[in-house]
Amino acid sequence: MEFSALLTSAGINIGVCILFLTLYSILRKQPHNYGVYFGRRRAEERFQKQDDYFSFERLLPTAGWIVKAYWCTEEEIRRVAGLDSVVFLRLFIFSIRIFSITSLICILGVLPVNYHGQEMSHKNIPADSLNVFTIANVKEGSRMLWVHCVALYVITLSTCILLYHVRKPVHNALVADEFVSKFFLVHSDNITADPRVFMSQEYNYISRKRLAHITASSPNPGHFSVLVRSIPKSDNELLDDTIRNFFVNYHGSSYLSHQMIYRKGKLQKFVDNAEKAYRKFVRVKLSVFDRNGRSMSRCGLCGVRASSFQLYRNKFIEAKKSDLSNPEVVEAQKECPGAIVFFKTRYAAIVASRILQSSNPMLWVTKLAPEPRDLYWSNLWIPYRQIWLRKIATLAASVVFMFVFIIPVAFVQSMMQLEQLQKMFPSLKGMIKKSFCARVITGYLPSVVLLLSLYTVPPLMMLFSSIEGSISRSGRKRSACCKILFFTIWNVFFVNVLSGSVLNQLNVFTRPKDMPSMLAELVPKQATFFITYVLTSGWASLCSEILQVYNLVYNFFSKFICCCHQDPEYVYSFPYHTEVPKVLLFNLLGFTFSIMAPLILPFLLVYFCLGYLVYRNQILNVYYPKYEMGGKLWPIMHNTTVFSLVLTQIIALGVFTIKHSPVATGFTILLLVGTVLFNEYCRHRFARIFDAYSAQDLIELDREDEQSGRMQEIHEHLLDAYSQSSPIDGSTSFANAQVPNEMIMEDPAQEASESSQELCDTVQEVSESIQEHGVEDKSHSV
Amino acid sequence: MEFSALLTSAGINIGVCILFLTLYSILRKQPHNYGVYFGRRRAEERFQKQDDYFSFERLLPTAGWIVKAYWCTEEEIRRVAGLDSVVFLRLFIFSIRIFSITSLICILGVLPVNYHGQEMSHKNIPADSLNVFTIANVKEGSRMLWVHCVALYVITLSTCILLYHVRKPVHNALVADEFVSKFFLVHSDNITADPRVFMSQEYNYISRKRLAHITASSPNPGHFSVLVRSIPKSDNELLDDTIRNFFVNYHGSSYLSHQMIYRKGKLQKFVDNAEKAYRKFVRVKLSVFDRNGRSMSRCGLCGVRASSFQLYRNKFIEAKKSDLSNPEVVEAQKECPGAIVFFKTRYAAIVASRILQSSNPMLWVTKLAPEPRDLYWSNLWIPYRQIWLRKIATLAASVVFMFVFIIPVAFVQSMMQLEQLQKMFPSLKGMIKKSFCARVITGYLPSVVLLLSLYTVPPLMMLFSSIEGSISRSGRKRSACCKILFFTIWNVFFVNVLSGSVLNQLNVFTRPKDMPSMLAELVPKQATFFITYVLTSGWASLCSEILQVYNLVYNFFSKFICCCHQDPEYVYSFPYHTEVPKVLLFNLLGFTFSIMAPLILPFLLVYFCLGYLVYRNQILNVYYPKYEMGGKLWPIMHNTTVFSLVLTQIIALGVFTIKHSPVATGFTILLLVGTVLFNEYCRHRFARIFDAYSAQDLIELDREDEQSGRMQEIHEHLLDAYSQSSPIDGSTSFANAQVPNEMIMEDPAQEASESSQELCDTVQEVSESIQEHGVEDKSHSV
């Protein structure tokens, strides 16, 4: 591709971007798109709605959203969208920082060296092939290769320093998120006592800032609950009793209660449906009442609350597990995959989850339960014994899919070679001859095809992760994220690089020794493709992200064509599993091409800056965090970044070998060893924090709750925190507790009705006891 | 090599074996060799000695020792030599079983097929090349390859079944070793209640048999103690107080006490030396008293017990840590690498060791302490922060050493090619021409050279493992065992196979895809070498093992030439780190050559049978278990066996591909997948048992001790269990507790003096308080 073709491609994309952003700034002001562009806000401020007046201003494009997104503080984002969003945005900040440094060095230092290398002949710049700007233009044995080597050193060192310092706040944030700030309250005299823990100022800063918010928020029931699976069944004891006996016997001082997990029976499903219908009814009523002054939050006719259905459900279970002679009871016992056991303190729960319970590791398997809203109920039915097999199977399936996907990628690559395309479609010959068409085809179409075929991947990987048997939604998403990341790096980077010239070169993977020199030869050649990839997949996908094209169209059709009202409670949660791999891929591209073909860097920097603003805006307005991953995505990001660095160094090693520069080769090997050691250190220093809570923090939290007398309240909440109904509704009592305080406050209707509900409940309880007998008879007949 | 050369080699080795065994049966009866051949017995039955009368019988070779070794029960061995010996002998039982099956199938099924293959021309059997008996003789596309495939299936299946069933008792033995039998006492009504845990009859059988022994033996102090490292230091608090405050604060209900670890000062070293001198003096006295009726066990003049020195030592430490203004105290604080914290119950200790203590994973690092006799004090000084770096460094050093070692191996291989040898040493030409010499050189010398050069490896790997920073002697030995195992498999198997024809073929490692077919081509060719290797390294090393050549010569010189008496307390512990890799290598050879060159199998079978008897005898008589590894070697054995199976299948895959048998290839791939799945299952089912104790077992043990009132006694013992003097003496009070009861009983002198010691102690305490002031002054001046 020539430089002018690149400019054409860039021009098209800049045009598309400006168009989309303008469109967005107009569309977001239209009231009927409120659900598309302000999903999170609507979900929180449930009963508020903007007034539907018309003004001319609504049709003018403005840039106010950019200002709003930019000036929002990190603390605000954390409160509104959770720690994961902060971590995700930190990745952008890190990328912007590192690629600013890299751009500076590579554009000023490396690019002139590449351009003035004597391997290729020069025309005037616009007509020059892009290859002139790559390292391929530097002569063999050139003395100027030290510039590349120094650039590599600077990039690696600054990446490591930034990673360590970005990692620190993330780590601190993670710890601080729930524990440390309380800890500070109690041990404020200790802060100076231990200089090593608190030497980082950021630690102090971040944790202190969070103090006010966290002490106010309710505790997480997941910290008190342990999920027990693979409970041994006995013939002469009820499963319920087995569990109680075991935990009373071995964890008697801290055991609080437990809740069995049952498969849904027919009648339970019926009650679920009834509950759904009821909820719909209440909503309709509410929206009616809403207009009349929002005085009631529930159906006044029957006086039934949603949580009453939980009572019914428990009644069925009670009725079912009455005696062992009943074959239905025995059947239910067989189907029970486990139980949630509640403990009195956080520390006791963590102890029970970390210690091997039985001398057979396949029995009494304990694990800290996810939060109620995070629990993935349908995977709880999977017997624990299957899980290892499922993991292997999905891993194998993912690998197979990764290799099958090479076919569309190869097709994309063949489109890059116009001659091959002409052979395949002779009728296109005339069109291809035209210069503009040729530019569009070589510069734009291939990456669009690749982008479209990549859209099939996330749903499939999500399916694989579901089959894998993760018990939490966040775990499933994290697993899918890893799979998509591997997939993307393999299929976008490696296959494109290696199948670039000839697809047959794929057998390079069978000769790992030749890999560096092979990569060194091929990577610069593919610079053109990846620059256009950044333009299309990067820039354009940001635009389509902010415009929410699919939702916009769906919203339009459902509102104006089908005239049906969208479920107002439905909001999307942030698709970390697709966005994180995308950003990490661009990171990888940035690192690997930094010294090979520095021309890619400005485009990437624009991508990261635009992305930072767009995602901030989306996180603030569109997506609603349904569950927390607790910043556990950071290790994935860190490891991928280090992998990118190592890959860059390996490619550089190949380049220096090809160009016969033994000194640079030696220094690069040194750098490689240093990078690996840095990663090992980080693993030892930080990795355990991301999957374990420390005794110190937990005990402090427990103590404070006990001293303030909140413990009793927490225990009462615990027992009905995990409701086994449909997952969305499954967090009735605690979900509210998870939403920051001020949001609950904005729902005055609920508060007002709280007192009248008390009255209704007593009436209800009487009617229930009458219904009960009927239900019991029914359940036996079913 | 021809068949006759093989017979020559076998003949020489059988001769050597018979000679050595005869020598052994005579030498063991000589009283002055008692220390060499009955080291364990002498160490236990300390004051007994055989009478030194002469009889003609002493010069006659007998086979009584074989009978004794064979009829000893597993339970007896476990009691006398610990669980590790049982596990090691179980490896032999497993090997004998599996190679009996393999021999039967391969000699009867595979060998005739190989021999009647039509690739090579036949002479009469003795003059036939050994290659005629290998799979290389089977024609391409032969239909008889299904025999090999079926044989492979039978071998794999029986290995998996045997492994699972061998593993079960081992696992049971491990668990039963300390916990389960007690558990059975308490919960004997539960046994039938939980059919899944106790369905294996062996479980019941083994644990019940151990009941009598285990309930009588004393508890392990390691189960109550946690080693804390990387304690944060503060300027305004004593380290001792920091530790106490932390554990009282967060583990207050179960914290008992703690003991600081200090580097040795000058005065401490002086006391150590005094203690050593005292011990020597006591021993001399004792050996004198011994003859007069063994009435006293210690020096009656000064009335000082060995443990009194511990009091002195503690006094120094007390004196040292008096105040913070003293710069010496501050210095000592800086040097303190950690502490041993004692807990009231086993469960509390395991909880403290498994839970992350601080939100910085590099601070307050806890780990269950090894037993006192197992603790490797000198590695405790290593700062915890260095350990990850040390691990990487030793790993790198081991890998480098592995590759450097290729040089002697290549030399051995060149000796196999007579022509090359003639080129190198032209003067040998005449000798080599002689048929017998040629046979000796090709059949015997190469493996002797390899064997001798292999002797340098274990000390070096042991050194690497020490540098690595393991805090227990058993951990160090296990780490060395793994390193030597990798080393052996790489340098004996792979390098010999692949450098067999041409050393240049080493670059095969850069092309993993070609590996199977390359191996398939080369492995059968190397059958000859490995058969002789089994004969020399296997058989001959067993003979030298039983004869204890080195110790015999050393003993002879020290007794009769230098006239000095050997330290009677010095006995060797079993060298698992050299013997386990050796046996596992023969296992690997057996599997990989089973269908390629079945002629190796009878030799191997003889090796395993002989080895079983020899090692039983050695374990019973020679080696004294200084510390327990708790059967943790079994996972290494299991994984290596599965690796051998997988390697066999990969080679078979290569063979079937080369011989154009697609059906057999397909079935082998299926088998490969099955084997990997089997290993995964075993890992999930058993792996955690080998590095964790279960809450159920620990709590039961704790309860029983509390109910029987023994807990108080245990706590008292705990506080002086870990003595920081020289490691051999470092287990004064608890070491005895570890020796089975009946052995303690055999030392009546100690019992008799127990009461008189009480009196002496009171006298001693008075004199100590006088000395104390003098010592304190001294310690300040030093």
Side-chain angles (χ1 to χ4, degrees), chain B residues 329-357:
Chain B
V329 173
V330 174
E331 192 57 33
Q333 294 240 336
K334 267 185 197 157
E335 281 189 349
C336 171
I340 297 169
V341 180
F342 304 110
F343 287 88
K344 284 181 190 153
T345 60
R346 293 174 183 84
Y347 180 66
I350 200 102
V351 165
S353 73
R354 301 289 293 186
I355 301 286
L356 188 68
Q357 295 298 323

Side-chain angles (χ1 to χ4, degrees), chain A residues 196 234 249-251 347 356-357 359-361 385 510-513 685 694-697 699-700 703, chain B residues 193 196 249-251 347 356-361 385 510-513 685 694-697 699-700 703:
Chain A
R196 267 212 283 177
S234 72
N249 195 5
Y250 297 112
H251 303 273
Y347 180 65
L356 187 69
Q357 296 297 324
S359 51
N360 179 349
R385 292 173 166 263
T510 59
R511 272 169 294 154
K513 198 187 152 196
R685 174 65 185 79
S694 82
Q696 208 177 12
D697 301 331
I699 291 173
E700 291 296 343
R703 270 187 204 156
Chain B
R196 268 212 282 177
N249 194 7
Y250 298 112
H251 303 273
Y347 180 66
L356 188 68
Q357 295 298 323
S358 148
S359 51
N360 180 347
R385 290 172 169 262
T510 59
R511 272 169 292 156
K513 198 187 153 196
R685 174 67 183 78
S694 80
Q696 207 175 14
D697 300 331
I699 291 173
E700 292 296 343
R703 268 187 204 157

Side-chain angles (χ1 to χ4, degrees), chain B residues 15-299:
Chain B
V16 170
C17 277
I18 291 171
L19 182 73
F20 274 40
L21 292 180
T22 314
L23 256 175
Y24 170 70
S25 73
I26 296 168
L27 283 173
R28 73 196 289 274
K29 281 186 263 180
Q30 312 308 317
H32 55 263
N33 289 333
Y34 193 67
V36 178
Y37 294 122
F38 298 95
R40 189 193 68 79
R41 289 208 180 168
R42 203 177 52 172
E44 278 175 9
E45 303 150 14
R46 273 174 221 167
F47 306 97
Q48 280 185 339
K49 217 168 189 180
Q50 282 192 338
D51 289 325
D52 200 355
Y53 65 91
F54 179 83
S55 76
F56 187 66
E57 209 186 319
R58 265 171 49 184
L59 298 181
L60 278 183
T62 49
W65 64 274
I66 294 177
V67 179
K68 270 187 205 161
Y70 185 74
W71 284 111
C72 183
T73 65
E74 198 166 83
E75 174 51 29
E76 236 171 303
I77 290 175
R78 203 200 68 81
R79 217 185 48 218
V80 151
L83 191 62
D84 296 316
S85 313
V86 176
V87 169
F88 182 64
L89 292 174
R90 277 228 160 249
L91 178 65
F92 273 97
I93 295 174
F94 163 76
S95 303
I96 292 171
R97 281 185 189 158
I98 186 66
F99 286 114
S100 304
I101 299 170
T102 309
S103 298
L104 202 75
I105 288 163
C106 291
I107 301 281
L108 295 184
V110 175
L111 195 63
V113 173
N114 284 351
Y115 189 71
H116 293 294
Q118 283 119 36
E119 200 70 21
M120 299 169 197
S121 60
H122 286 280
K123 304 171 207 165
N124 58 336
I125 289 182
D128 261 349
S129 163
L130 283 182
N131 287 336
V132 172
F133 299 96
T134 67
I135 205 168
N137 194 31
V138 178
K139 250 195 169 172
E140 267 184 29
S142 163
R143 282 174 176 272
M144 293 307 279
L145 279 173
W146 66 263
V147 176
H148 296 83
C149 191
V150 167
L152 196 63
Y153 260 78
V154 173
I155 293 167
T156 306
L157 287 180
S158 37
T159 309
C160 289
I161 292 167
L162 280 175
L163 263 186
Y164 193 75
H165 279 279
V166 171
R167 179 144 203 170
K168 256 198 172 162
V170 168
H171 144 223
N172 296 347
L174 181 78
V175 175
D177 187 38
E178 303 203 24
F179 307 120
V180 170
S181 32
K182 283 203 172 179
F183 180 74
F184 269 87
L185 264 186
V186 184
H187 279 244
S188 47
D189 53 329
N190 251 5
I191 294 170
T192 46
D194 190 348
R196 268 212 282 177
V197 186
F198 304 104
M199 64 184 175
S200 142
Q201 276 303 306
E202 279 179 278
Y203 200 111
N204 254 324
Y205 172 77
I206 294 178
S207 35
R208 270 178 204 281
K209 267 193 88 176
R210 282 169 201 194
L211 206 73
H213 164 65
I214 291 161
T215 41
S217 81
S218 293
N220 182 347
H223 291 160
F224 290 88
S225 320
V226 167
L227 189 74
V228 184
R229 303 174 85 181
S230 191
I231 301 159
K233 276 132 200 157
S234 74
D235 290 333
N236 50 11
E237 203 181 22
L238 273 170
L239 204 54
D240 200 51
D241 296 334
T242 311
I243 298 169
R244 187 175 299 110
N245 288 345
F246 184 87
F247 282 97
V248 165
N249 194 7
Y250 298 112
H251 303 273
S253 60
S254 52
Y255 166 78
L256 188 70
S257 161
H258 73 270
Q259 177 185 333
M260 307 276 289
I261 299 164
Y262 278 107
R263 264 180 191 281
K264 283 182 187 180
K266 270 183 194 169
L267 204 65
Q268 275 171 291
K269 275 183 188 156
F270 171 74
V271 174
D272 283 352
N273 289 335
E275 188 172 338
K276 264 183 201 156
Y278 161 80
R279 277 174 187 275
K280 219 162 206 170
F281 180 59
V282 168
R283 206 164 49 222
V284 172
K285 281 264 171 193
L286 277 174
S287 57
V288 174
F289 281 115
D290 196 29
R291 293 171 189 259
N292 306 337
R294 321 179 195 163
S295 63
M296 286 188 74
S297 73
R298 64 202 174 85
C299 156

Side-chain angles (χ1 to χ4, degrees), chain B residues 430-490:
Chain B
M431 211 181 84
I432 286 168
K433 284 255 166 76
K434 283 172 198 160
S435 149
F436 181 76
C437 276
R439 277 179 199 169
V440 168
I441 288 174
T442 59
Y444 199 73
L445 256 179
S447 42
V448 169
V449 170
L450 190 62
L451 196 67
L452 285 178
S453 56
L454 277 175
Y455 272 119
T456 61
V457 177
L460 200 76
M461 291 300 183
M462 206 68 177
L463 180 72
F464 283 159
S465 297
S466 302
I467 294 171
E468 209 175 55
S470 169
I471 51 161
S472 67
R473 290 161 178 278
S474 62
R476 183 178 63 144
K477 209 166 217 178
R478 212 164 52 243
S479 161
C481 178
C482 283
K483 285 197 183 71
I484 296 173
L485 181 67
F486 284 127
F487 181 89
T488 316
I489 290 178
W490 166 255

